[in-house]
Amino acid sequence: MTPAARVQSAIDLLDAVIAAARSGGASADRVAAEWLRARRFIGSKDRRAIRDLVWAAIRACGDVPASGRAAMLRAAADDAALAALFDGSRYGPAAVQQGEPVAEGGVAPEWLARALADSGLAEGEQRALLGRAPLDIRANTIKITRDALRARLPVAVEPVVARHGLRLETGAAAESWPEYAEGLFEVQDAGSQLTCEAFAAQPGETVIDLCAGAGGKTLALAAAMDNTGHLIACDIDRTRLSRLPERAARAGARAETRLLDPGKERVALADLLGRCDAVLVDAPCSGTGTWRRNPEARWRLTPAAIQRYAAMQDNVLAVGADLVAPGGRMLFIVCSLLDAEGADRIEAFLKARPDWVAVTPVCPLGRPRGQGWRLTPGHDATDGFFFASLRRV
């Protein structure tokens, strides 16, 4: 495939990604996987090149572009070599016409960029949200130490600030290695690892991971607890939660799973109300802190969606609080950098629950934000997180 043909293929794939974003369809990753699966004649090098072009164009466009060509022209505006490939050659993109539409640049749609600025993220911090993320892994201390894992891996890795974390180059095929199959490590961003460390789960405790999803943080908690005590992973998403038992078996981790019905969470957890030492609330959110991995997600957000997320966060905070015993603790986490989903939620919770107080978390990276703590890609080289440590008095 010629370089120009790769560009035209990327434009075609971008059209599919844009259509999905406008309609609330599949993610860019899934759209790309399906698009490439239907074109098996495209070789592996060409596939990688096409994907790189697509993601570069997504990062270059602040709002949803009118078309894949308009998006690629925005990327080409800052890349002379890419612009030169709009040459009208066979299988390549047509030459650029005077006055042809070019997508708007920027970090995000205007309303969202303003919301980030109002949440304390200056322009440079906002731009960092669209960089390329490294690949971080966490040594599974149920089976191995970080130093021993580092010595076994087939590529050079560097320790991160998280106690059991290692950083690899972007794109490393870590999940294909035998060490992964043996359960010696999990793929987990260093910021996510630090939130688990701030939670400080202890051996012998009764701990609930209330919004566990597929269980990435659950496995970190099991390791911190030395596989003792009672660890319960909960979620309302049956599909995601069903992945946890297999992951736990590979990691040698022990955790109970409970599927929850929305609005009936307390019924499923009645035996644990007011009895837990600690509850982790990794709440549903907009994911603004993960744009390095999912830059197209910013095209799907609306002010109404942020309000819906805030309501869900208030609900899971209330459910989590009812599970904690007097003197116990709760950690609220969102992978969002919007105050509407972070600092504002904690302020509202503490006003409504005078039996709770905020405690400054122990974290080697990040900065205070409201009555919680924040990690950002630009300041801390992690995904973006807001988290708050709370204690029931």
Side-chain angles (χ1 to χ4, degrees):
M1 197 178 254
T2 66
R6 288 173 171 175
V7 174
Q8 183 57 52
S9 293
I11 290 171
D12 294 341
L13 175 49
L14 276 165
D15 281 331
V17 169
I18 291 165
R22 289 187 181 280
S23 65
S27 68
D29 275 329
R30 185 173 297 178
V31 170
E34 292 176 355
W35 191 91
L36 289 167
R37 190 178 300 117
R39 294 161 177 81
R40 297 186 181 278
F41 59 88
I42 299 177
S44 59
K45 289 184 179 179
D46 291 325
R47 287 168 180 260
R48 285 194 296 272
I50 291 167
R51 284 184 62 96
D52 286 347
L53 286 165
V54 167
W55 261 257
I58 291 173
R59 288 185 169 92
C61 301
D63 208 340
V64 187
S67 67
R69 183 175 171 89
M72 194 59 69
L73 285 172
R74 167 48 54 193
D78 298 317
D79 186 338
L82 177 57
L85 297 175
F86 284 79
D87 58 4
S89 60
R90 190 181 184 191
Y91 303 122
V96 180
Q97 301 298 311
Q98 186 174 2
E100 184 173 352
V102 178
E104 292 292 328
V107 171
E110 185 178 351
W111 72 269
L112 188 48
R114 285 199 307 270
L116 289 168
D118 291 344
S119 299
L121 265 74
E123 184 179 351
E125 284 264 60
Q126 290 191 32
R127 285 198 302 269
L129 298 177
L130 296 177
R132 295 194 69 184
L135 181 69
D136 295 337
I137 62 175
R138 176 184 56 80
N140 176 18
T141 55
I142 295 172
K143 294 188 172 185
I144 198 169
T145 65
R146 178 169 71 174
D147 288 345
L149 175 65
R150 186 182 184 188
R152 284 194 52 171
L153 294 180
V155 299
V157 294
E158 293 298 327
V160 293
V161 172
R163 287 195 293 267
H164 309 300
L166 295 167
R167 177 157 292 173
L168 291 69
E169 290 186 1
T170 301
E175 292 181 351
S176 69
W177 298 341
E179 291 82 7
Y180 179 78
E182 294 171 35
L184 302 186
F185 69 84
E186 294 290 330
V187 175
Q188 186 179 18
D189 177 74
S192 177
Q193 295 181 47
L194 288 172
T195 64
C196 292
E197 290 179 14
F199 183 58
Q202 300 297 312
E205 289 187 321
T206 297
V207 174
I208 293 183
D209 185 355
L210 190 58
C211 307
K217 290 184 175 68
T218 306
L219 299 180
L221 301 185
M225 296 168 66
D226 293 336
N227 260 344
T228 64
H230 189 191
L231 175 59
I232 308 100
C234 309
D235 207 275
I236 62 172
D237 189 326
R238 181 186 299 272
T239 300
R240 294 187 70 200
L241 192 62
S242 68
R243 300 180 192 137
L244 177 53
E246 182 179 350
R247 294 183 70 188
R250 180 175 55 80
R254 291 202 298 268
E256 176 189 345
T257 59
R258 293 195 193 184
L259 182 67
L260 306 179
D261 289 332
K264 299 179 180 179
E265 297 91 348
R266 292 172 180 83
V267 175
L269 297 167
D271 59 315
L272 294 165
L273 290 172
R275 297 182 56 193
C276 298
D277 297 294
V279 173
L280 183 73
V281 178
D282 187 8
C285 72
S286 63
T288 56
T290 63
W291 286 351
R292 296 188 305 170
R293 304 174 195 282
N294 305 294
E296 157 261 357
R298 68 202 201 281
W299 295 347
R300 296 170 178 263
L301 292 175
T302 64
I306 301 302
Q307 292 177 353
R308 289 194 297 272
Y309 281 123
M312 286 189 279
Q313 291 150 10
D314 288 343
N315 177 63
V316 293
L317 269 168
V319 172
D322 288 347
L323 294 164
V324 178
R329 66 194 187 279
M330 178 166 62
L331 189 77
F332 173 79
I333 310 169
V334 284
C335 51
S336 173
L337 299 173
L338 296 171
D339 283 346
E341 300 181 89
D344 293 353
R345 303 279 54 79
I346 297 305
E347 183 178 351
F349 172 79
L350 292 172
K351 283 182 178 178
R353 298 295 296 259
D355 55 329
W356 284 82
V357 295
V359 180
T360 302
V362 177
C363 187
L365 294 179
R367 293 162 288 180
R369 185 68 186 174
Q371 297 191 72
W373 202 258
R374 188 157 74 179
L375 299 166
T376 68
H379 186 266
D380 305 299
T382 68
D383 282 351
F385 289 94
F386 171 88
F387 58 100
S389 183
L390 306 164
R391 183 169 296 278
R392 184 177 177 187
V393 296

